[in-house]
Amino acid sequence: MPERQSPLEPEYNPGSHGNFEHGVDVILSETRLGSILQLAAWPGEEKRLIEVIRKVTGLALPDGAGGGVNNGARAVFGFAPGKFTVVDEAEGLAQAFAGLITPAIGTLTDLSHGRTAIRIAGPKAEWVMAKFFAIDFALPAFPLGAGRSTNHHDIFAQIQRSGADQFDIYVFRSFARSFWKALCHASEEVGYEVQ
């Protein structure tokens, strides 16, 4: 299979940028995931779908919209009632769910070729994210593993806190370059590094 190309080219420029004379406060990178899935449960089937997710991924997802868990290689979070984003560094996660998510439970949509994962990390990550989204990014309001769905202008985004000062942002590939450029611009005043 041919290697998947990044939609961020030619705007992906590794190195330090912006006001970094006193250090870098934000690190930006593209996370090249093999699988990005959206799972949705029919009303009343949410607990069965959560159990299927646990069985396939080994991740114990808390019940309720917004809850999530991230172990580094795999992550899952609820972004709306009965709807979940599941990601894996490896390809083929959709096949692992095949046959387990029956039409009686819900649906599975493989978004691996339709989404781009961007990571923002560092002591000013929350501050930069607040420039884009009207969400409280403080750790108590947005705990580790939790997820949210929102948008910035016309760019739909799903966000998961994947570390104490780290967020993974999933955007449509067709908007990825535009969002990346805006994220870089918003990070200039604190100094950022592209890895």
Side-chain angles (χ1 to χ4, degrees):
M1 183 152 80
E3 181 181 342
R4 191 178 315 161
Q5 299 298 308
S6 170
L8 303 180
E9 298 295 337
E11 301 299 330
Y12 198 88
N13 301 309
S16 298
H17 305 276
N19 183 21
F20 63 89
E21 296 86 35
H22 303 290
V24 170
D25 285 325
V26 171
I27 298 169
L28 302 176
S29 59
E30 179 183 12
T31 305
R32 299 270 183 120
L33 296 167
S35 300
I36 303 173
L37 311 178
Q38 179 176 304
L39 284 64
W42 302 124
E45 298 298 323
E46 295 86 358
K47 290 191 186 313
R48 284 179 60 192
L49 182 59
I50 289 170
E51 179 55 27
V52 170
I53 292 169
R54 186 203 58 74
K55 185 181 215 178
V56 171
T57 66
L59 301 173
L61 180 67
D63 193 2
V69 63
N70 184 316
N71 72 3
R74 287 182 167 168
V76 60
F77 61 94
F79 65 89
K83 295 185 179 181
F84 307 92
T85 297
V86 184
V87 300
D88 194 329
E89 287 181 350
E91 293 183 8
L93 188 60
Q95 289 82 2
F97 280 102
L100 296 175
I101 299 179
T102 65
I105 294 174
T107 63
L108 162 70
T109 307
D110 189 345
L111 302 173
S112 303
H113 296 283
R115 298 287 191 275
T116 297
I118 296 170
R119 177 168 287 163
I120 180 170
K124 292 288 187 177
E126 289 179 9
W127 186 80
V128 171
M129 292 289 285
K131 289 181 170 186
F132 288 89
F133 307 108
I135 294 175
D136 185 351
F137 287 100
L139 196 54
F142 199 146
L144 188 62
R148 307 285 185 266
S149 63
T150 186
N151 61 25
H152 172 68
H153 295 287
D154 290 332
I155 300 175
F156 174 71
Q158 294 177 314
I159 305 164
Q160 183 179 37
R161 182 184 286 272
S162 53
D165 61 355
Q166 177 175 289
F167 298 91
D168 293 334
I169 310 162
Y170 304 94
V171 296
F172 291 113
R173 283 179 65 86
S174 56
F175 288 109
R177 188 178 305 164
S178 175
F179 183 77
W180 176 262
K181 287 170 67 173
L183 192 60
C184 290
H185 181 70
S187 302
E188 284 179 350
E189 68 182 289
V190 296
Y192 70 97
E193 182 176 332
V194 175
Q195 293 184 339

